[in-house]
Amino acid sequence: MTTPVCTSASKAALSGPPSYGTTVARSATRPRYPSFSSYVRARGPVLLRTARSLTANPSDAEDLLQTALTKTYVAWERIEDHRALDGYVRRALLNTRTSQWRKRKVDEFACDELPERETSPTPDPAEQQVLHDAMWRAVMKLPDRQRAMVVLRYYEDLSEAQTAEVLGVSVGTVKSAVSRALGKLREDPELSPAR
């Protein structure tokens, strides 16, 4: 199966850049390297399969092969062993694809959702201090036993069992006293703006 890219590559390569003494039409009719033309016709489909294995898009594969064949055409006189042409063209394919990959542009697209998580604004330290002071004033209004249980449970981070052990009371007493203390804190007028 002959592909248009190989034919166009061979025609483009055969014509070559016109020299000052020739015209474009004359260089297109007489190839500079007839062996290159026959090589492209014979090996083009195989090389195109190699190019397609290097890129997912068939059009990109054709462009890649055309670029590699152009590089091969330019170096045709320097290639000493024409039996190793497939290796030369494959290396040109790989090098060209690597160069394209390195030079690729990373596009950024606008989208409806931002990929970054929204960070919550940091609270004002003055407001935090006001709330902290109001909380301590409300805790200080509690009866001594409830205050001790709230401080041990929520400021010292002790469990109900540990709080009961420290105070020498039952776990049920700690639960009921802390529940009543939290109810009083919820009703405190100084803490109402914080809710």
Side-chain angles (χ1 to χ4, degrees), residues 20-179:
Y20 287 109
T22 62
T23 63
V24 176
R26 189 173 127 203
S27 64
T29 57
R30 257 192 326 165
R32 186 169 170 191
Y33 300 119
S35 58
F36 178 78
S37 176
S38 61
Y39 170 75
V40 170
R41 276 194 294 273
R43 300 300 295 163
V46 174
L47 296 171
L48 183 59
R49 280 195 299 273
T50 303
R52 284 189 177 160
S53 69
L54 294 173
T55 182
N57 187 339
S59 299
D60 290 342
E62 292 174 358
D63 291 343
L64 181 64
L65 178 59
Q66 187 171 11
T67 304
L69 288 174
T70 303
K71 289 178 180 181
T72 305
Y73 178 79
V74 169
W76 193 256
E77 290 178 342
R78 293 180 309 213
I79 299 173
E80 295 174 7
D81 186 9
H82 281 238
R83 292 176 296 178
L85 282 173
D86 282 357
Y88 185 91
V89 175
R90 284 189 180 103
R91 175 52 59 185
L93 284 167
L94 186 60
N95 290 345
T96 302
R97 182 64 183 139
T98 302
S99 296
Q100 290 171 349
W101 179 79
R102 286 181 180 156
K103 293 178 186 177
R104 79 179 191 271
K105 180 181 173 187
V106 177
D107 293 327
E108 292 182 9
F109 299 100
C111 58
D112 293 337
E113 295 179 24
L114 294 177
E116 303 89 20
R117 289 188 299 172
E118 292 183 18
T119 57
S120 58
T122 56
D124 183 14
E127 289 178 12
Q128 284 184 321
Q129 187 61 43
V130 168
L131 181 61
H132 182 265
D133 293 343
M135 178 60 82
W136 268 114
R137 282 192 301 274
V139 168
M140 294 306 288
K141 292 179 195 174
L142 294 173
D144 292 342
R145 190 168 171 174
Q146 287 181 358
R147 183 181 339 125
M149 291 183 189
V150 167
V151 168
L152 290 173
R153 279 287 289 128
Y154 296 106
Y155 286 95
E156 297 295 325
D157 202 27
L158 296 181
S159 68
E160 291 170 342
Q162 291 169 328
T163 303
E165 186 180 331
V166 168
L167 296 175
V169 296
S170 70
V171 175
T173 304
V174 171
K175 287 181 180 182
S176 62
V178 168
S179 176

